[in-house]
Amino acid sequence: MPATLRGSNPIALCTARALSAAALLAALLLVPMGCAKPAGELFPPLAAPLSWPNPPDEPRIHYVGQIATTADLKAAKPFGEALRELFAGKQPILGIVSPMAVEFDDQQRLYVADTAARVVHVFDLDKRKYEQWMPPAPDTFITPVGLARAGDGRLFVADSSTGVVWLFDSTGRSIGMWGLGHLIRPCGLSFDEAGQRLFVADAGAHRIAIFGPGGELLSTLGSRGTAPGSFNFPTDVVIDHQGRLYVSDSLNCRIQQFGSDLMPRRQIGSRGDLPGYFSRPKGIAVDSADHLYVVDAQFEAVQVYSSEGQLLMAFGREGRGPGEFWLPAGMCIDDSDRLWIADTYNRRVQVFDYRPPAPTSDTGPNPGPSPAPKGVTP
């Protein structure tokens, strides 16, 4: 027996050891309890809020925040998760690498097509969960660049390298593939809910391909050229609430507007470096008032137009801070007029709000479509 324990009471010694073990267990339990925390605020306000246009014009576009990694979900950490981290370590943080297109659904899920990661990131902002969607093995994405969503929850993903459009149901299950043999380099997508048609900007074929409800090719629109109705590497499409089709005709440096009969109506912008002109128009979207938003990757900015083609305002500049861009690409606008922009080289999605004018006593409580924002140069 060691000299230090010589003469000790065995019962007292066992009791002391038991108490020490209980204290250690209590400490181990208290540590994760202290690390457990509720969900954080997704988009905390900036100390100095950002909005556009500048005074004296009334601001219409407001910076909200960004999503770049799974840490930005600010998920709650329950006791069980904190206890698991104590023994197994923290979950790795996964981030966006090269976002090219974005979509947002009515379940508060943000979809991001990532060409470098070759996945579609799914950030569930309501449940604070994260998933990756991809085709079933042995298939895989090569260059996912375009996204569109149907009202029934289907998600369409254009892969420009394989020349197809993948379909997923609302749970992320792959349910088919469209366009094989008909598409060369599909890029931007837009789903026409009224006509149950999928519009595909096929940059490689310099045309717009239109698919029916079952994935059958219904028709094509345009060919390579500079005349109205012709295209030079079209990269994105969107359909407004009046059924008008807009095409980002990238290397012609313009946006083309078509009527619901798919006849050319007008050209918006042309090559140049002044407000109202384009250098590399890419992602396009429309808000609830049918204002047209155009991302220009060269200008690192977004220009906003009326449906008649009048420049209304612009926002953004080159940089890495809030409201700044580095080669932005795709964008979408959700049902709440929130803008989601793929800020490609900054490896993030930036979020903005469009706030229409408040109703006045003259317009009553339901003013209908909002008047256009006042004109402001970039």
Side-chain angles (χ1 to χ4, degrees), residues 190-242:
S190 185
F191 189 75
D192 170 28
E193 197 68 39
Q196 292 293 296
R197 298 175 297 176
L198 180 70
F199 287 74
V200 183
D202 190 345
H206 307 283
R207 68 184 187 183
I208 307 303
I210 306 167
F211 293 88
E216 68 280 15
L217 180 65
L218 297 176
S219 61
T220 61
L221 179 64
S223 58
R224 190 168 195 177
T226 58
S230 300
F231 307 107
N232 192 12
F233 289 96
T235 55
D236 205 0
V237 287
V238 70
I239 301 167
D240 73 6
H241 298 86
Q242 308 302 316

Side-chain angles (χ1 to χ4, degrees), residues 97-120:
V97 183
S98 184
M100 293 298 294
V102 288
E103 260 295 342
F104 198 82
D105 72 10
D106 55 5
Q107 299 182 51
Q108 301 298 301
R109 294 186 294 188
L110 170 66
Y111 304 90
V112 184
D114 190 327
T115 55
R118 297 184 175 184
V119 301
V120 172

